Amino acid sequence: MTASLSSTALASASSANLSPSSPMSSPVTALVERLSDEIRSGVLPPGTLLPTHRKLAAQYGIAIASATKVYAKLRDLGLVVGEVGRGTFVRDRPMQREWDVDDEARLSASAVDLSFNHPSWPEQSELLRATLRELTTAGDLSALMHQQPPGGRRHERETVATYLRQARGIDAPAEQVFLVGGAQQGLDVVVRTALRAGDGVVVDALTYPGFRMTASLAGLALRPIACGSRGPDLDAVEAACRQRAVRAIYTMPTLHNPLGWVLSAAQRARLVAIARRYDCLIVEDATYAYLANDAPPPIVTLAPERTFYVSSVSKSMATGLRFGYVIAPAGHAGQIKRVIRATYWSLPSLVTTIATRWMASGEFRRREQCQIESAKQRQAMARKVLRGMDVVAHPSSLFLWLPLPEGLRMDQVASALAVRGIAVSKAQAYATTRHAPHALRLGLSSMADAQVEPVLTEVRDVIERMPW
């Protein structure tokens, strides 16, 4: 049920005069600040229906055109969403204080979240609404209330297999494709399927925090490998496999998180050769791979007999659509199905129905292309704003890596940014070594377009004003 802003709440909100916060502030700016504070503090919770432009204008004694500007500014800040024919609603944003302290960043109730990538696009709500309408009138709706078989229904696994063949060049049979609740759950399932406590796993010295945490819970022995500007030190990978028992290699060959590299065809071939020489499994994390559409073929196409391929739609469609997939080597398909059954059994039928409909209709591929173009524009803007700083990023990535000037500590900079209402990820979340470099990872997709330049300018300002 949609909440609405009651007349009592309106009266309370406007009981004090709407006075500008400074002599130079306009009534529009003052009202934007007031409503922003109420949204961020939870006084106006997610889903609240705000007054019409006319009612807002009458309540605060401003022109209707000014009320329109207020909602436009709140929309640019990512705090509200306008829906034609329904009104303006407070956006359902994950309040950062709800996250556990062990997540990628130590978060507070920040106004701008650069610590995670939450893709948002104008047609997102309408696409979901239209799909839900279609589901109410098509087929056997009660089937969505039934439990799925572990790993997903056959026709939906076929849909994913077709999508992977067309969009990724991966020719995997549906029997080896398993549906999971996002890439993080996919990694957990792979670890439970193929690895045991004490097994050695080669990882990059800077790697995805989700895998690092999963490995820690499973008691795996991580073997960190030094990172270069274009990928891991493959000589060091081979030395690690030769000198110690290594059961698997965890890799992000296509758009590494957080360093943004894309391994060349020669690097991939050598990595596969090492894995075969020392009989290692490969876990290929392709969560961000769609952003680099000119990359060499995935590693799973080079070594299907030993590669687990894991990906999801969280970074292209929506983080709340917990839908991912794992391609398992033929020899592990039976075990991975047993692990899925013993842990979470299956995804909700509604989620898999929505996701596979969008895959089959081409909506995923259209959205991916839009995200690529958006990422390119944001990276170009970031390069402009951060010119002269040591930015590390792929030109179509949704994030960038920012090593700090010598003498600055990442915790000090992150704390200073938090005071300004900006949440960032610190390098220590990505480090698999004892000591982490002093650097920040900045996600670019959770901001509105209008926020990118001013927010990154503020990041630069904070860094340059920090005492060394």
Side-chain angles (χ1 to χ4, degrees):
M1 187 174 182
T2 302
S4 61
L5 188 58
S6 67
S7 56
T8 303
L10 268 174
S12 174
S14 60
S15 58
N17 291 331
L18 184 61
S19 56
S21 57
S22 72
M24 298 300 291
S25 297
S26 68
V28 168
T29 300
L31 185 51
V32 169
E33 291 176 353
R34 178 192 293 275
L35 293 176
S36 297
D37 289 343
E38 291 175 358
I39 291 171
R40 289 166 179 150
S41 66
V43 172
L44 299 178
T48 298
L49 174 61
L50 299 177
T52 64
H53 294 209
R54 186 178 298 279
K55 286 184 178 179
L56 187 75
Q59 186 68 38
Y60 288 97
I62 59 177
I64 294 178
S66 295
T68 300
K69 290 180 181 178
V70 168
Y71 282 155
K73 288 182 179 293
L74 291 174
R75 190 163 52 249
D76 287 343
L77 291 171
L79 298 176
V80 304
V81 58
E83 299 183 12
V84 178
R86 300 187 70 232
T88 302
F89 296 83
V90 175
R91 283 189 61 189
D92 187 1
R93 294 160 51 90
M95 293 301 290
Q96 312 226 16
R97 61 176 173 268
E98 296 176 7
W99 294 93
D100 188 274
V101 294
D102 288 329
D103 286 317
E104 288 188 35
R106 301 296 178 97
L107 303 174
S108 59
S110 303
V112 181
D113 184 4
L114 305 186
S115 64
F116 286 88
N117 277 311
H118 304 284
S120 179
W121 29 282
E123 304 86 5
Q124 204 172 43
S125 297
E126 190 49 47
L127 175 62
L128 178 59
R129 185 173 291 112
T131 303
L132 292 174
R133 287 197 198 102
E134 290 174 7
L135 292 178
T136 62
T137 58
D140 180 9
L141 191 61
S142 64
L144 299 182
M145 302 299 289
H146 296 166
Q147 183 170 266
Q148 296 189 38
R153 293 175 288 196
R154 173 68 188 217
H155 69 282
E156 291 175 337
R157 293 164 73 184
E158 290 278 9
T159 297
V160 175
T162 299
Y163 164 79
L164 289 171
R165 185 165 53 252
Q166 295 174 347
R168 302 285 179 266
I170 302 172
D171 191 8
E175 293 82 5
Q176 291 173 232
V177 175
F178 298 88
L179 308 188
V180 291
Q184 182 64 48
Q185 189 175 75
L187 292 173
D188 180 65
V189 167
V190 169
V191 167
R192 291 172 183 266
T193 297
L195 302 174
R196 299 291 179 266
D199 280 351
V201 180
V202 164
V203 294
D204 300 317
L206 293 168
T207 197
Y208 170 52
F211 182 77
R212 186 174 60 80
M213 289 186 284
T214 295
S216 176
L217 289 174
L220 304 181
L222 296 185
R223 314 287 192 217
I225 300 299
C227 300
S229 60
R230 297 184 179 180
D233 182 342
L234 294 178
D235 289 338
V237 171
E238 181 148 21
C241 293
R242 183 174 59 248
Q243 294 166 6
R244 306 186 191 183
V246 169
R247 176 60 179 150
I249 300 170
Y250 172 72
T251 181
M252 292 172 279
T254 306
L255 223 157
H256 180 275
N257 179 17
L259 298 178
W261 69 51
V262 175
L263 297 188
S264 67
Q267 288 172 306
R268 293 167 195 244
R270 186 174 176 200
L271 191 64
V272 167
I274 292 171
R276 284 179 170 149
R277 185 175 302 124
Y278 297 98
D279 194 22
C280 299
L281 297 172
I282 299 173
V283 181
E284 181 176 10
D285 186 337
T287 302
Y288 285 102
Y290 77 94
L291 290 166
N293 53 13
D294 58 347
I299 285 179
V300 69
T301 65
L302 307 178
E305 82 285 354
R306 65 184 60 249
T307 303
F308 289 89
Y309 182 91
V310 182
S311 193
S312 77
V313 303
S314 297
K315 305 307 180 186
S316 58
M317 294 297 288
T319 54
L321 186 66
R322 301 307 303 165
F323 180 86
Y325 39 88
V326 175
I327 300 175
H332 293 270
Q335 179 62 13
I336 203 169
K337 187 172 184 179
R338 287 188 287 272
V339 168
I340 290 173
R341 180 172 182 170
T343 51
Y344 69 95
W345 190 285
S346 64
L347 294 183
S349 298
L350 182 60
V351 169
T352 61
T353 298
I354 291 173
T356 53
R357 270 178 173 246
W358 290 348
M359 271 189 177
S361 69
E363 191 61 48
F364 272 4
R365 297 193 72 177
R366 286 192 292 273
R367 179 45 39 197
E368 287 175 351
Q369 192 56 47
C370 289
Q371 286 283 58
I372 291 171
E373 295 307 314
S374 175
K376 288 179 179 178
Q377 294 170 9
R378 292 180 179 222
Q379 282 290 345
M381 192 175 299
R383 293 283 182 176
K384 177 183 175 182
V385 173
L386 303 176
R387 183 178 289 116
M389 304 183 80
D390 190 14
V391 175
V392 179
H394 187 276
S396 61
S397 172
L398 291 174
F399 51 83
L400 60 87
W401 185 253
L402 187 61
L404 298 173
E406 187 174 353
L408 288 188
R409 297 180 57 83
M410 58 184 156
D411 52 346
Q412 294 173 319
V413 177
S415 296
L417 288 169
V419 170
R420 303 249 194 138
I422 300 173
V424 297
S425 295
K426 296 180 287 187
Q428 65 190 35
Y430 295 81
T432 56
T433 54
R434 183 181 298 274
H435 300 291
H438 287 284
L440 304 175
R441 176 192 179 272
L442 309 181
L444 301 177
S445 74
S446 298
M447 299 179 282
D449 288 342
Q451 288 181 288
V452 177
E453 186 169 353
V455 169
L456 293 182
T457 299
E458 192 157 9
V459 170
R460 179 174 190 138
D461 182 65
V462 166
I463 292 174
E464 290 183 337
R465 290 174 181 269
M466 291 289 293
W468 291 21

